[in-house]
Amino acid sequence: MVASPVAAARTPGLDARVATSITEIHRDDWDQCFPGEPEAYDYLLTVEKAGIAGFDFCYATVYEGGYLVAAMPGFITRYALDTTLEPGRIRDAIAKLRRIWPGFLTLPLACLGSPCTETGNIGFHPSVGEARQEALFEALLNCFETFAKSRKCVLGALKDVPQPVAPGIERTIQAHGYAPLGGMPTAWLPIDFPDMDTYFARLSSGTRKDMRRKLKARDKVRVEYQTELGDYLPRVMELYHDTRSRSDWQFEELTPAYFEGILKSMPGRSFCAMYFVNDQLLAANLLVHSEHTLIDKFFCMDETAGRPYNLYYLSWFENIGYCLKHGMTRYQSGQAYYTNKVRLGSQLTPNEMYFRHRNPFLQRLLRAISPFFAADETAGVDKAEAKSGEAVSAEVKPA
């Protein structure tokens, strides 16, 4: 099944087009371009149907001989340039100006990637060698830019592209005038140990001591794995909104349909770990997985009632235990809060943001001020062995 040509670009032998619904693309065709990816077709369909305000989702594709050979999700939104600014005087000043000019530093954006996935992977059919990727990505990017122009988007971007990229992909991005902005790395822990004792032995003595102290409350907490939220949905959403309100960076706001939809549309590949104390639900952890990778999508908790039980750390070890039990080799805990993740053994894979304004003068201006808007939470990870602050217990992991 071929996507409807909302925007199409013709390159000899290639048919590039943008679909406005992933249902216009065959599930198997899409998933073949993203082998082993937990956030594949069914996940993206759930995101599309979740009613997330302010986003129009789309899907850039390239076909060759009737077969899907390259693909990438995308979205259209109005983007506030100060989204990734650290709290402080500059951000406060922008907020004040928005009271007078609501659209100040807010531009219509067309972005490749998804606001709800961990990274912005470029998908290629397994038969596509690296030498062919440059031409296919060129066709995909040309088509998406035509689509963006038709939607009157002045700002284009690629979100969270894992680094390093193939030389041909990098050449294409640069040739199209995109500038790097700096992105937030993805934290992940290789599960290359046979049991929890071996994992503990790899941690520093200070971290082991701290974790054993934090996990003393484990016996007071009941953990349940749920594949549907049912009557717990209102409480889960309460925990989500409470946790989100404490986050400095807010992009998309997820809906009940997102949380319910993930569990319904990904049976056997998703679950919600719920943390109870005296039958009171104090934390919920939404996870998705493939055969080998467990992705921690969102951990949200009652900050006041949950803090004494160190539920964030309990969830960390609970998730590692799940990986060990099911033979998974990668626990991916996402972006942000790197200090604690690194001290618990995580590695950081860099991601890059790229942006381009259609006006060359404004693009030069944005390049000049881009360091102020770059997201960087990795400062201080070299001090990861310092005693962790309890603020991380209020974590909500962004997608």
Side-chain angles (χ1 to χ4, degrees):
M1 183 176 181
V2 179
S4 61
V6 175
R10 298 289 178 177
T11 302
L14 301 178
D15 181 11
R17 50 185 67 204
V18 176
T20 55
S21 173
I22 200 169
T23 59
E24 299 168 18
I25 306 167
H26 195 282
R27 174 185 281 99
D28 292 342
D29 291 347
W30 183 274
D31 285 350
Q32 280 188 337
C33 291
F34 298 90
E37 173 57 61
E39 297 174 320
Y41 187 100
D42 290 328
Y43 178 84
L44 293 172
L45 178 58
T46 298
V47 170
E48 177 185 314
K49 295 168 65 175
I52 300 173
F55 291 86
D56 293 327
F57 297 101
C58 55
Y59 310 86
T61 60
V62 180
Y63 289 82
E64 186 172 32
Y67 294 95
L68 183 63
V69 290
M72 201 171 182
F75 61 92
I76 305 291
T77 191
R78 290 191 60 81
Y79 181 70
L81 295 179
D82 59 311
T83 297
T84 55
L85 269 181
E86 295 286 350
R89 285 183 292 180
I90 296 177
R91 194 167 179 177
D92 292 342
I94 292 173
K96 291 178 181 178
L97 285 171
R98 283 215 177 98
R99 296 171 190 169
I100 304 171
W101 299 291
F104 181 65
L105 286 182
T106 301
L107 301 174
L109 166 70
C111 183
L112 284 169
S114 170
C116 298
T117 59
E118 298 293 298
T119 57
N121 287 313
I122 307 166
F124 294 101
H125 190 276
S127 65
V128 174
E130 186 174 312
R132 285 281 294 141
Q133 291 180 4
E134 183 173 3
L136 297 179
F137 183 64
E138 172 76 23
L140 184 148
L141 191 55
N142 280 334
C143 182
F144 186 73
E145 289 175 351
T146 299
F147 174 72
K149 189 174 182 179
S150 74
R151 297 292 298 269
K152 304 187 185 306
C153 293
V154 298
L155 190 65
L158 293 91
K159 178 182 180 291
D160 291 334
V161 179
Q163 301 297 300
V165 296
I169 302 299
E170 184 68 32
R171 281 194 299 269
T172 300
I173 292 173
Q174 292 180 357
H176 280 248
Y178 290 86
L181 179 60
M184 296 174 67
T186 297
W188 62 282
L189 178 71
I191 309 298
D192 56 355
F193 41 86
D195 51 47
M196 199 69 77
D197 288 339
T198 305
Y199 170 61
F200 257 94
R202 292 184 178 183
L203 304 177
S204 71
S205 59
T207 299
R208 287 198 301 271
K209 181 179 179 180
D210 188 31
M211 292 302 107
R212 289 192 175 104
R213 179 182 62 82
K214 284 181 165 56
L215 295 178
K216 284 182 179 179
R218 175 182 282 172
D219 292 341
K220 300 177 182 178
V221 179
R222 186 177 85 257
V223 183
E224 294 183 4
Y225 291 169
Q226 299 287 349
T227 55
E228 59 181 38
L229 297 179
D231 294 339
Y232 291 118
L233 179 62
R235 175 59 173 165
V236 170
M237 296 309 300
E238 179 184 3
L239 295 173
Y240 166 72
H241 288 296
D242 181 51
T243 306
R244 183 177 184 272
S245 69
R246 300 193 297 270
S247 174
D248 292 331
W249 295 339
Q250 299 181 9
F251 193 27
E252 79 284 359
E253 181 174 356
L254 300 177
T255 63
Y258 171 87
F259 285 89
E260 284 190 306
I262 294 299
L263 299 177
K264 289 180 179 178
S265 66
M266 299 177 65
R269 293 174 292 149
S270 65
F271 63 94
C272 185
M274 295 185 173
Y275 294 80
F276 296 86
V277 174
N278 297 327
D279 293 327
Q280 182 182 7
L281 179 60
L282 297 185
N285 192 184
L286 181 67
L287 302 108
V288 299
H289 62 87
S290 62
E291 183 179 357
H292 300 294
T293 299
L294 179 67
I295 297 182
D296 189 344
K297 289 303 298 178
F298 292 98
F299 176 82
C300 40
M301 62 169 277
D302 184 317
E303 182 182 27
T304 301
R307 184 185 298 274
Y309 303 98
N310 299 302
L311 295 181
Y312 171 75
Y313 295 99
L314 176 56
S315 74
W316 180 276
F317 287 93
E318 187 74 21
N319 293 340
I320 291 176
Y322 186 92
C323 290
L324 288 170
K325 181 178 180 180
H326 293 87
M328 296 179 180
T329 56
R330 179 183 176 105
Y331 171 46
Q332 191 166 306
S333 55
Q335 298 172 324
Y337 305 100
Y338 297 111
T339 298
N340 283 283
K341 293 174 182 178
V342 169
R343 74 190 288 254
L344 289 170
S346 291
Q347 301 179 19
L348 302 181
T349 298
N351 299 309
E352 189 68 79
M353 303 277 289
Y354 300 91
F355 70 94
R356 187 193 73 170
H357 197 288
R358 279 168 47 191
N359 183 303
F361 171 77
L362 292 178
Q363 174 67 357
R364 288 193 293 270
L365 176 62
L366 287 176
R367 291 189 74 152
I369 66 175
S370 63
F372 295 101
F373 297 97
D376 183 10
E377 274 209 355
T378 59
V381 294
D382 56 325
K383 301 177 182 178
E385 287 303 317
K387 188 174 180 180
S388 61
E390 289 299 320
V392 75
S393 295
E395 180 180 10
V396 56
K397 299 178 180 67

